[in-house]
Amino acid sequence: SMYRPKIIAITEVKPKRIENFNYAELNLDGYELYTNDFENATTRGVLLYVDKTISAKQVFLDCSFQEYIIVELQGANKKLLICNVYRSPSSSADNNANLLNFINSISKLASDKLLLLGDFNFSDIDWDNN
């Protein structure tokens, strides 16, 4: 049988140059769709698909950083926060500071487990030499 993921995370959902994008096209059978504010003209959009058999709810943070989506998965006596983030390669210093504040906030909020993923566009990081 075909492998079917339980969670799918996508960044840069909105096309740069296509007008009248129909968001209904993003629906996938068997998944709940969670997104950030697609109406915001300044964002590229992030989303999470969660298998409908998983108990999940969207979580909102009061913060200045906008390119994120958080979903809380509820398991047996445990919660998992999944957070999908997009940071533009041309991100301003202010936006970088907002992202850092956002990461600090979500880290405090995640009492059990946190999966933080996405496209951070930090190409200058040298992972081999820290």
Side-chain angles (χ1 to χ4, degrees):
S1 67
M2 193 175 92
Y3 173 74
R4 190 174 174 281
K6 298 291 186 189
I7 310 285
I8 302 168
I10 299 177
T11 61
E12 296 183 86
V13 176
K14 295 192 296 190
K16 278 185 181 172
R17 293 177 189 84
I18 296 177
E19 298 297 319
N20 303 322
F21 182 66
N22 183 355
Y23 295 106
E25 295 175 25
L26 296 174
N27 289 321
L28 281 180
D29 284 346
Y31 291 93
E32 285 295 332
L33 169 62
Y34 299 92
T35 67
N36 69 335
D37 180 11
F38 276 154
E39 301 304 312
N40 185 334
T42 64
T43 62
R44 290 299 308 279
V46 291
L47 65 75
L48 284 168
Y49 290 105
V50 179
D51 187 296
K52 285 189 176 181
T53 63
I54 298 173
S55 177
K57 68 178 182 184
Q58 188 167 350
V59 174
F60 299 91
L61 282 184
D62 184 18
C63 66
S64 300
F65 186 74
Q66 295 184 331
E67 288 276 43
Y68 74 89
I69 183 75
I70 305 169
V71 174
E72 179 185 274
L73 307 184
Q74 185 67 53
N77 305 320
K78 290 216 173 175
K79 292 177 187 170
L80 170 64
L81 285 183
I82 298 181
C83 179
N84 187 17
V85 170
Y86 174 69
R87 177 193 164 273
S88 168
S90 59
S91 179
S92 67
D94 278 351
N95 192 58
N96 290 343
N98 290 340
L99 172 58
L100 187 57
N101 288 335
F102 168 78
I103 291 172
N104 286 331
S105 297
I106 186 96
S107 298
K108 289 177 189 145
L109 185 68
S111 57
D112 288 330
K113 304 286 184 215
L114 169 65
L115 176 59
L116 180 63
L117 53 91
D119 187 353
F120 293 87
N121 282 301
F122 284 118
S123 60
D124 294 340
I125 293 178
D126 183 345
W127 295 104
D128 294 330
N129 299 306
N130 293 322

